[in-house]
């Protein structure tokens, strides 16, 4: 690990002011610290945002659930309000990594990092989430722009994520047996005005499967999935799963999700 | 007095481990300590054209940088292969030079090129990045099966072949095959595993310039042998000026039996810089440079009569040694493997041919079970396939071929002293509810799932080992064990053992033996191991030997203590020695109420006062003190055996295999502490299940290790397991007075075939380890396709 300067920001303003092209925010550190230790990343400044009160907490209103950026996965998993409003979101958080990761990793860090195999991005897409930053609101569909890429600007800080409460929903994942990241994760949500099938793990970036979403909005049933061919084109191949296997898993886990809704 | 042996005594050592007070090598910090970082090869195979350290030497905080040339200049020898194997054609095995720091070539990713020693770890790391190595990259040889057809890595080792070894009788086997009604054939791959001890390797060297003695603290299973090898072959220091301490060690599984390049370099460097030098492996270094395990490709054939009698076995194996021949690498796929291919069956004719090859991968050496898991996997998969092809019941086909009479001289090497294989099979069938399997299977099918049951009736040879036997087979050392039992004047006991505990629980079990034998409370017995300056020379811990061999040495030393105690008691109590009996810690004169406790005897031995009326308690000819040493060399290996039955449920849509039921009934001979044995079985089975379903060291075609972190290398986890059902049968070993057979490796030996036979039973087709979800999914899909074609 290369030397860096550590800062602890007291509010969003200070955090963004301290940031530069050679800095990173430190939330749970579950991605940043291992990549620094392995020499895959190095920064001049590390800006700790864990002390910014405004970024933590869970709020449930009639229509939506808003989760502060530095809220830990374990807090989401154990939140009574979330379990009641969007149980699938609590389930998703409960299935992230292992207890150590869940007790440190944060929702803001997870979506800012946009790992192609991360779980939360699929929830954002499926549940028509809005990402609140220190300067604007971004719709989830306009937020995740590519592998490890988002439309966040330099120094822009995520403050909270607002999810719309669906009629019913379920997240089902085929975990990587080693890391427990998603080999394929399928989030199915039947919302007031639409049905979304969001898929993570399968391609270089989370996406909404338009064909499955369309088919399910006509007929929200397992058999509707059978009528859709999930193409393996553009899907990842690695030692844990080939593109063909991933394509098959997308259909299988979409069915599991519908059954669990 | 209640017996300690046989009861669930809580582990004495757990308090320190559970409260974070273990003292591992990395926890030791010496004054003026420096930190070492190794510069490792990023290439699987390359010539070293130049190592340029000039820039790195100028970096801040650098104490010294050494390369292979510096070692050579100091005449430091290379690493050795400790067991000579002779090929079928009579030629000796071929072993490449293995310098502790590479000089001419690097032969696997992670191979050692230079060591940078800094004031701080950050200084050393920073400078290590500045060491410039000019490599000429060559095409790597990676694959086990095609290694012999690839370019030779070493110019004097044609076909990359270390040896082409044969055990058994080809002609007799051919006759048996000619007489058979059916030949069953199987092709298997025993996947390469990475040991993943919880504590990464670490070494700390310390040179005392006043005594000219080097001390090496190292995470090692075998400190005496490490000292011997580094003294005799690497010539770092003579044995009497060299102390090796293996303090608390967090797991070894074989990977810490032998000294590594780092140990040699760190011990030597401490003397060079005249300051302590510390190196602690990072996890990535462990993945890359700890010796790996297994990695066999095998074709085997079984000759059977139509009534199910097995008459012959042929085994042809290619074993991957990796880039160099590590210390026990050559024996693992030969004498620890070949004799065991017969399993616990009466197979009259057999041969086992092993071709050991070099590849540009990390060296492969002994790993939990060492050779025996590979043998057991082969024979148990083959037996299951045979039962299937013959249309016989899995349990009854095995039973029909069990060895039934003991002792039994097998067709290959081993003479099995005791066992009762029907007993553990019967017990396991009952616990596993074999009768209810058909119902459970149809229940699974009604949910769209596949269910399979898998058997593994295994045997292994451990309690390594009779010196005469192993030395006649090429071992460079005898494998006895030593013990010293020392009564202190105030009546407590210190026990020194040559075995080494790195998780096994020796501190407890050995104390149980001594406590019972000498009648002293458990808390008054301290077991000391892991320091060449303390106990007598010992042979360390591996091959499930510690109790059968090391425990017996302790038992024998206790016998000597009691014998002397009787002489002293007789004199003190004015009785004849033959009238003195020893029981529950007291020497009692027959038919009288005269007695002395062993504590009183110990005190008297150390303080043989001779004043006034008091006469010396020591009989003439006896020396003061109460301390005895014993060395024990067993007359035979010991042969644990058992039946493991596994049931899996598979989701054909995802390929996910759920381990639903697991039963293990083992015959470990006499059991000293059932709780500790359970722990060993749990851990062993978990490792075996890991091999069957999850673990795999994956190199790409250029020799890069793809599974070099826990993000990709899948370890088994607690939530992968149902509750394991564990039970025992007992036929005591006859090769040691304790009757102990050894339990440390059994789970890792028995589990892989039990699990894989269950998977194969469920999906109906052959599949290789690890049975990952994708492989199982694909096999299910393919068999569905071929079924629908057939229909
Ligand atoms: C062993 C392991 C297993 C894991 N398994 C899973 C899994 O199964 N599923 C899964 O989804 N994830 C998994 N993760 C990822 C983990 O859950 C975290 O979500 C992830 O590491 C990032 O969150 P963090 O809070 O640790 O972010 P950090 O590491 O602190 O930061 C990551 C990046 O996000 C940026 N960032 C952080 N917070 C903000 C913010 N508020 N605004 C703008 N930018 C910000 C930082 O600048 C940095 O670049 C795993 C991680 C590990 C180590």
């Amino acid at each position: 690990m290369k030397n860096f300067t550590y800062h602890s920001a007291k509010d969003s303003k200070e955090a963004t002011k301290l940031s530069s092209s050679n800095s990173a925010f430190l939330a749970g550190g579950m991605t940043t610290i291992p990549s620094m230790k392995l020499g895959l990343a190095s920064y001049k400044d590390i800006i700790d945002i864990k002390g910014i009160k405004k970024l933590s907490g869970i709020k449930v209103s009639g229509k939506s659930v808003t989760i502060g950026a530095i809220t830990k996965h374990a807090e989401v998993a154990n939140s009574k309000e979330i379990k009641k409003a969007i149980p699938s979101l609590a389930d998703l958080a409960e299935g992230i990594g292992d207890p150590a990761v869940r007790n440190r990793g944060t929702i803001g860090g997870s979506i800012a990092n946009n790992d192609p195999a991360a779980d939360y991005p699929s929830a954002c897409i499926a549940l028509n989430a809005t990402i609140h930053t220190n300067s604007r609101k971004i719709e989830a569909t306009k937020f995740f722009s590519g592998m490890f890429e988002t439309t966040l600007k330099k120094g822009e800080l995520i403050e909270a994520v607002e999810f719309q409460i669906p009629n019913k929903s379920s997240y089902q994942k085929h975990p990587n047996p080693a890391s427990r990241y998603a080999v394929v994760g399928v989030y199915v949500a039947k919302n007031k005005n639409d049905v979304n099938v969001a898929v993570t793990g399968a391609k270089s970036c989370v996406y909404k499967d338009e064909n499955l979403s369309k088919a399910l909005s006509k007929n929200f049933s397992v058999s509707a999935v059978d009528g859709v061919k999930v193409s393996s084109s553009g899907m990842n191949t690695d030692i844990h799963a080939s593109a063909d296997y991933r394509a098959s898993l997308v259909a299988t886990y979409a069915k599991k999700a519908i059954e669990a809704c | 007095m209640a017996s300690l042996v046989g009861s669930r005594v809580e582990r004495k050592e757990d308090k320190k481990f559970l409260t974070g007070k273990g003292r591992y090598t990395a926890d030791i910090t010496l004054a003026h300590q420096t930190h070492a970082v190794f510069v490792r090869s990023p290439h699987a195979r390359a010539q070293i054209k130049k190592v340029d350290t000039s820039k790195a030497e100028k970096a801040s905080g650098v104490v010294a940088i050494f390369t292979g040339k510096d070692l050579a200049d100091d005449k430091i020898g290379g690493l050795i292969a400790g067991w000579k194997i002779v090929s079928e054609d009579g030629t000796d095995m071929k072993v490449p030079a293995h310098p502790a720091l590479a000089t001419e070539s690097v032969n696997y990713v992670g191979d050692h090129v230079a060591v940078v020693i800094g004031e701080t770890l950050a200084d050393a790391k920073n400078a290590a990045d500045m060491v410039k190595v000019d490599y000429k990259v060559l095409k790597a040889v990676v694959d086990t099966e095609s290694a012999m057809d690839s370019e030779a890595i070493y110019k004097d080792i044609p076909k990359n072949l270390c040896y082409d070894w044969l055990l058994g009788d080809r002609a007799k086997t051919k006759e048996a095959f000619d007489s058979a009604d059916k030949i069953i054939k199987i092709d298997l791959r025993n996947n390469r595993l990475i040991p993943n001890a919880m504590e990464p390797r670490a070494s700390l060297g310390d040179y005392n310039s006043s005594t000219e003695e080097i001390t090496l603290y190292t995470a090692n299973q075998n400190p005496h042998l490490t000292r011997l090898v580094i003294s005799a072959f690497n010539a770092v220091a003579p044995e009497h000026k060299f102390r090796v301490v293996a303090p608390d060690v967090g797991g070894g599984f074989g990977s810490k039996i032998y000294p590594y390049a780092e140990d040699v370099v760190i011990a030597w460097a401490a003397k060079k810089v005249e300051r302590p030098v510390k190196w602690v492996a990072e996890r990535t270094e462990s993945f890359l440079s700890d010796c790996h395990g297994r990695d066999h490709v095998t074709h085997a054939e079984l000759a059977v009569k139509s009534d199910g009698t097995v008459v012959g076995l042929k085994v042809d194996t290619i074993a991957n040694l990796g880039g160099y021949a590590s210390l026990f690498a050559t024996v693992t796929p030969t004498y620890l493997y070949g004799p065991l291919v017969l399993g616990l069956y009466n197979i009259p004719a057999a041969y086992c041919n092993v071709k050991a090859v070099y590849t540009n991968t990390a060296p492969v050496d002994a790993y939990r079970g060492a050779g025996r898991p590979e043998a057991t996997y082969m024979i148990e998969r083959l037996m299951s396939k045979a039962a299937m092809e013959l249309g016989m019941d899995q349990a009854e086909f095995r039973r029909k071929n069990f060895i039934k009479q003991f002792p039994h001289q097998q067709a290959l090497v081993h003479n099995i002293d005791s066992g009762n294989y029907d007993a553990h099979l019967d017990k396991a069938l009952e616990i596993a509810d074999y009768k209810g399997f058909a119902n459970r299977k149809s229940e699974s099918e009604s949910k769209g799932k596949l269910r399979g049951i898998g058997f593994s009736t295994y045997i292994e040879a451990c309690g390594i080992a009779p010196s005469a036997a192993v030395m006649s087979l090429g071992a460079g050392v005898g494998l006895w064990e030593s013990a010293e039992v020392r009564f202190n004047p105030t009546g407590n006991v210190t026990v020194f053992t040559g075995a080494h505990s790195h998780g096994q629980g020796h501190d407890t079990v050995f104390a149980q033996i001594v406590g019972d034998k000498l009648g002293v409370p458990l808390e008054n017995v301290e077991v000391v191991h892991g320091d060449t300056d303390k106990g007598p020379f010992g042979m360390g811990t591996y091959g499930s030997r510690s109790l059968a061999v090391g425990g017996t040495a302790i038992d024998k030393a206790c016998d000597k203590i009691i014998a002397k105690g009787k002489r002293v008691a007789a004199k003190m109590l004015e009785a004849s020695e033959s009238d003195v009996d020893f029981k529950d810690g007291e020497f009692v004169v027959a038919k009288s109420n005269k007695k002395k406790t062993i504590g009183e005897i110990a005190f008297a031995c150390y303080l043989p006062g001779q004043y006034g009326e008091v006469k010396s308690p020591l009989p003439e000819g006896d020396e003061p003190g109460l301390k005895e040493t014993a060395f024990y060399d067993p007359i035979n290996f010991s042969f644990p055996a058992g039946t493991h039955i596994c049931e899996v449920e598979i989701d054909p849509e995802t390929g996910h295999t759920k381990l639903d039921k697991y039963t293990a009934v083992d015959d470990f001979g006499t059991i000293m502490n059932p709780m500790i044995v359970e722990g060993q079985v749990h851990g062993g089975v978990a490792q075996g299940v890991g091999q069957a379903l999850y673990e795999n060291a994956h190199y790409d075609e250029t020799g890069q290790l793809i599974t070099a972190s826990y993000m990709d290398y899948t370890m088994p986890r607690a939530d992968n397991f149902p509750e394991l059902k564990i039970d025992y049968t007992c036929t005591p070993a006859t090769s040691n007075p304790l009757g102990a057979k050894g339990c440390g490796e059994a789970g890792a030996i028995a589990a892989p075939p039990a699990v894989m036979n269950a998977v194969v039973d469920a999906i109906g087709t052959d599949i290789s380890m690890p049975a990952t979800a994708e492989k199982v999914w694909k096999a299910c899909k393919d068999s569905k396709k071929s079924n629908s074609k057939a229909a």
Side-chain angles (χ1 to χ4, degrees):
Chain A
M1 193 187 284
K2 295 270 191 294
N3 282 342
F4 58 86
T5 309
Y6 172 87
H7 311 268
S8 180
K10 61 179 185 310
D11 54 30
S12 301
K13 216 166 157 191
E14 192 188 357
T16 46
K17 213 175 124 206
L18 284 165
S19 71
S20 70
S21 58
N22 201 358
S23 73
F25 294 127
L26 184 69
M30 291 290 96
T31 293
T32 304
I33 291 175
S35 15
M36 289 167 74
K37 276 175 72 176
L38 290 168
L40 301 172
S42 63
Y43 304 99
K44 204 168 134 285
D45 297 288
I46 287 290
I47 305 149
D48 195 338
I49 58 170
K50 288 197 296 294
I52 306 177
K53 288 234 169 56
K54 192 183 164 198
L55 304 188
S56 78
I58 294 164
K59 264 192 271 135
V60 178
S61 72
K63 285 192 201 139
S64 67
V65 170
T66 305
I67 303 175
I70 59 171
T71 309
K72 294 175 181 113
H73 309 330
E75 295 173 85
V76 173
N78 297 323
S79 155
K80 283 209 186 81
E81 295 120 293
I82 295 180
K83 279 187 190 167
K84 203 161 145 227
I86 319 179
S88 59
L89 193 59
D91 288 350
L92 174 148
E94 178 64 31
I96 294 176
D98 48 48
V101 170
R102 292 195 288 276
N103 285 328
R104 283 253 167 206
T106 68
I107 186 167
S110 175
I111 66 169
N113 193 46
N114 193 21
D115 189 304
D119 297 305
Y120 270 128
S122 69
C124 295
I125 298 286
L127 301 171
N128 295 321
T130 307
I131 319 301
H132 297 239
T133 76
N134 59 324
S135 59
R136 57 184 171 143
K137 293 180 181 177
I138 312 170
E139 281 170 39
T141 46
K142 304 218 167 81
F143 182 82
F144 303 104
S145 54
M147 188 154 107
F148 294 107
E149 268 173 27
T150 66
T151 52
L152 282 175
K153 301 205 177 80
K154 275 279 154 235
E156 191 171 2
L157 185 72
I158 301 169
E159 293 190 331
V161 186
E162 183 183 358
F163 297 95
Q164 300 305 313
I165 298 174
N167 296 342
K168 46 186 178 176
S169 64
S170 169
Y171 177 66
Q172 299 287 328
K173 86 162 155 177
H174 187 81
N176 174 318
S179 71
R180 309 257 165 133
Y181 270 96
V183 167
V184 160
V186 182
Y187 211 125
V188 174
K190 192 166 191 305
N191 301 311
K192 213 162 131 213
N193 300 321
D194 58 8
V195 172
N196 285 335
V197 178
V199 179
T200 188
K203 296 187 178 174
S204 58
C205 183
V206 63
Y207 65 97
K208 175 176 166 183
D209 189 312
E210 298 289 352
N211 297 337
L212 284 172
S213 302
K214 215 180 281 162
L216 290 181
S217 44
K218 284 196 200 117
N219 171 15
F220 195 79
S221 73
V222 168
S223 60
V225 175
D226 287 328
V228 177
K229 174 151 175 31
V230 179
S231 158
S232 64
S233 130
M235 287 201 180
N236 304 329
T237 286
D238 56 37
I239 58 165
H240 298 289
S242 66
D244 282 345
Y245 181 47
R246 279 192 161 88
S248 153
L249 290 176
V250 169
T252 302
Y253 281 82
K255 288 187 210 169
K256 282 183 191 282
I258 293 161
E259 274 169 358
C261 267
Chain B
M1 195 186 276
S3 165
L4 294 168
V5 166
S7 56
R8 303 174 72 88
V9 175
E10 277 185 18
R11 301 194 347 150
K12 286 166 72 112
E13 49 270 78
D14 279 352
K15 189 174 165 206
K16 70 172 169 180
F17 292 138
L18 294 174
T19 56
K21 296 202 173 102
R23 196 170 145 85
Y24 300 89
T25 300
D27 295 322
I28 301 170
T29 294
L30 302 176
H32 312 298
Q33 174 176 291
T34 63
H35 298 265
V37 167
F38 283 84
V39 176
R40 294 175 187 276
S41 170
H43 307 295
R45 183 174 173 224
Q47 266 170 17
I48 298 176
K49 286 163 63 183
K50 193 171 166 218
V51 183
D52 180 0
T53 59
S54 55
K55 195 167 157 230
E57 268 159 35
K58 291 188 202 106
S60 80
V62 169
V63 176
I65 300 178
F66 299 115
T67 65
K69 187 176 173 304
D70 299 303
L71 285 174
D73 288 348
D74 262 14
K75 304 209 162 32
I76 298 301
L79 303 171
I80 58 155
W83 198 308
K84 191 173 95 174
I85 301 297
V86 178
S87 287
E88 187 178 359
D89 67 6
T91 57
D92 284 353
M93 65 179 187
K94 296 190 176 63
V95 174
H98 187 184
L101 293 174
T103 45
E104 286 164 20
S105 66
V106 285
N107 292 294
Y108 63 97
V109 172
D111 204 353
H112 321 71
V113 179
V115 64
V116 177
I117 297 166
E119 293 291 344
T120 67
L121 184 57
D123 290 336
K125 273 195 173 184
N126 180 45
D129 283 345
M130 297 182 200
V131 172
K132 265 184 64 188
V133 187
D134 193 1
Y135 293 107
K136 183 181 175 210
V137 179
L138 302 169
K139 190 170 171 354
V141 179
V142 181
D143 177 49
T144 308
E145 208 168 351
S146 59
M148 284 180 285
D149 308 320
S150 308
E151 189 191 346
I153 299 169
Y154 301 102
K155 62 178 182 308
D156 46 354
I157 305 182
K159 296 173 77 179
N160 296 312
L161 189 62
C162 176
Y163 52 73
D164 182 345
W165 172 85
L166 182 79
L167 183 68
D169 189 328
R170 283 187 195 272
K172 231 178 119 192
T173 309
K174 185 176 180 303
E175 262 171 49
F177 271 70
D178 289 343
S179 76
D181 296 323
K182 202 168 168 62
I183 312 287
I184 322 291
K185 300 180 182 177
I186 202 161
D187 285 289
L188 299 167
R189 196 171 266 277
N190 206 284
N191 43 329
R192 178 188 278 243
L193 304 177
I194 300 176
N196 283 302
M198 212 184 282
E199 180 210 15
R201 288 190 292 117
S203 319
L204 168 60
D206 184 25
Y207 178 65
N208 181 334
S209 56
S210 109
T211 60
E212 297 183 337
E213 191 189 30
I214 296 175
T215 301
L216 177 70
Y217 301 87
T218 175
N220 186 280
Q221 301 173 220
N222 205 348
H224 281 97
L225 195 74
T226 293
R227 182 181 70 168
L228 170 65
V229 170
I230 297 181
S231 266
F233 297 95
N234 308 111
V236 169
E239 265 188 292
H240 67 300
K241 292 285 186 190
F242 189 22
R243 174 181 175 206
V244 176
V245 183
D248 285 333
V249 173
F253 311 112
S255 70
K256 294 173 183 166
I257 300 177
Y258 18 86
Y260 280 83
E262 290 89 350
D263 294 310
V264 174
V265 172
I266 294 296
W268 167 81
K271 183 174 174 184
K272 285 299 263 196
V273 302
E274 294 206 18
R275 284 175 68 182
V277 181
K278 184 180 202 169
W279 168 77
V280 180
E282 295 192 345
R283 188 51 73 177
T284 314
E285 290 183 285
S286 303
F287 274 103
L288 292 174
S289 71
D290 285 4
C291 284
H292 295 176
R294 323 279 192 253
D295 205 339
H296 284 195
V297 174
T298 293
H299 174 81
E301 299 185 6
L302 193 72
V304 288
K305 293 282 194 191
S306 45
D307 72 347
T309 309
V310 176
V311 293
L313 174 69
K314 290 182 189 172
V315 182
D316 289 282
T317 292
I318 306 171
N320 192 342
L321 299 179
Y324 303 94
S326 173
L327 193 66
F328 294 126
T330 54
V331 67
T332 301
T334 51
Y335 289 106
L336 298 182
Y337 169 70
L340 274 299
V341 298
L342 299 171
L344 38 58
Y345 308 109
N346 185 0
I347 303 178
Y351 79 76
C352 175
N353 170 237
V354 179
K355 297 178 173 74
V357 297
Y358 294 105
T359 61
N360 296 112
T361 59
V364 178
D365 205 322
Y367 171 62
R368 201 169 191 171
R372 291 152 289 158
E374 296 90 319
T376 305
Y377 184 63
M378 183 283 304
I379 186 67
E380 287 307 299
R381 287 290 314 274
L382 191 52
M383 288 298 283
S384 279
K385 193 169 183 193
M388 222 142 69
E389 289 192 13
L390 290 164
M392 288 180 72
D393 177 77
Q394 290 290 343
E396 295 318 309
F397 173 61
R398 285 177 162 81
R399 190 194 300 279
K400 188 176 174 64
N401 289 288
F402 278 165
I403 295 164
K404 300 228 165 53
Q405 263 159 21
F406 301 90
H408 171 90
Q409 176 60 55
Q410 289 194 304
L412 306 172
V413 181
H414 286 310
N415 189 308
I416 299 166
D417 62 334
S418 68
N420 180 351
Y421 305 150
D422 285 339
H424 50 72
L425 177 59
D426 288 337
K427 203 168 192 177
L429 288 172
E430 193 176 325
I431 295 171
D433 184 25
Y434 185 44
K435 287 202 194 97
F437 174 70
N439 282 342
R440 292 192 293 278
K441 189 175 167 79
S442 48
E443 225 170 85
S444 295
E445 277 165 2
S446 70
K447 294 182 294 178
K449 302 273 169 64
L450 307 170
R451 181 173 284 268
I453 192 164
F455 283 79
S456 170
T457 50
Y458 76 96
I459 190 174
E460 63 139 327
C462 62
I464 288 176
S467 299
V470 295
M471 292 181 82
S472 77
L473 301 175
V477 285
L479 295 172
W480 43 265
E481 194 46 87
S482 68
E484 184 181 304
V485 174
R486 189 188 291 173
F487 253 100
N488 301 311
T490 52
N492 47 32
V493 184
T494 311
V495 179
F496 299 87
T497 172
H500 183 276
S501 187
H502 30 278
Q504 291 85 347
H506 295 171
D507 294 10
T508 306
V509 176
F510 291 171
Q512 285 177 257
I513 296 175
V514 173
D516 268 3
K517 195 95 190 198
L518 301 181
V520 283
L522 203 65
E523 59 273 18
N524 288 357
V525 183
E526 186 69 18
V527 176
V528 177
H529 59 81
D531 187 337
T532 57
D533 264 12
K534 290 188 176 165
F537 194 97
M539 295 306 297
T541 285
Y542 42 86
S544 304
R545 68 190 304 272
S546 300
L547 183 60
V549 191
T552 301
I554 292 172
D555 186 71
K556 299 232 166 228
C558 289
D559 284 339
K560 292 187 188 174
I561 293 266
I562 294 167
K564 178 166 180 184
K566 276 188 183 168
R567 292 196 296 276
V568 177
K571 170 130 193 246
M572 289 176 80
L573 298 168
E574 296 174 332
S576 119
E577 199 189 318
S578 58
D579 284 344
V580 177
D581 217 22
F582 180 68
K583 205 172 162 249
D584 294 342
E586 290 178 336
F587 294 93
V588 186
V589 180
K591 297 185 203 110
S592 83
N593 56 5
K594 290 200 285 183
K595 59 185 180 189
K596 287 273 176 203
T597 67
I598 194 160
E600 290 172 306
I601 296 294
F603 190 77
C605 285
Y606 282 99
L607 298 156
Q610 275 187 72
Y611 51 88
E613 291 298 289
V614 183
K615 282 187 258 156
S616 167
L618 293 176
E620 212 154 307
D622 264 320
E623 293 165 3
L626 190 55
K627 165 193 124 164
E628 297 289 353
T629 302
F631 286 72
Y632 180 63
D633 199 346
I635 49 172
N636 194 356
F637 293 84
S638 59
F639 300 97
T643 299
H644 288 211
I645 301 176
C646 173
E647 234 173 278
V648 298
E649 190 180 62
I650 287 174
D651 180 348
E653 297 296 325
T654 63
H656 176 72
T657 298
K658 176 178 162 215
L659 198 68
D660 195 47
K661 278 158 73 76
Y662 197 98
T663 306
V665 179
D666 297 293
D667 179 354
F668 296 137
T670 310
I671 287 177
M672 308 280 147
N673 184 330
M675 186 190 67
I676 285 181
V677 172
E678 261 163 38
Q680 291 289 323
V681 175
H682 283 162
V685 168
Q687 265 171 308
V689 169
Q691 168 160 36
L693 297 180
Y694 309 114
E695 297 185 46
N696 191 36
H698 183 96
Y699 281 96
D700 72 8
E701 67 280 6
T702 67
Q704 292 296 330
L705 183 64
I706 302 302
T707 50
S709 85
Y710 292 126
M711 298 308 267
D712 286 308
Y713 187 88
T714 311
M715 296 294 283
R717 300 198 198 178
D719 65 359
N720 297 131
F721 292 86
E723 188 181 328
L724 308 178
K725 298 230 165 63
I726 291 173
D727 212 327
Y728 312 101
T729 56
C730 177
T731 56
T734 62
S735 52
N736 66 71
L738 303 174
K741 290 188 173 176
C743 67
E745 295 157 298
I749 293 169
V755 176
M756 290 305 290
N757 283 334
V759 171
V760 171
D761 184 46
I763 64 178
T765 50
D766 236 350
I767 183 170
S768 66
M769 291 195 290
T772 59
E774 178 168 14
K775 274 194 217 164
V776 172
W777 167 78
K778 197 163 178 307
C780 292
K781 202 172 76 161
D782 292 349
S783 74
K784 211 162 152 192
K785 243 190 236 154
S786 63
N787 283 350
S788 61
K789 245 186 239 154

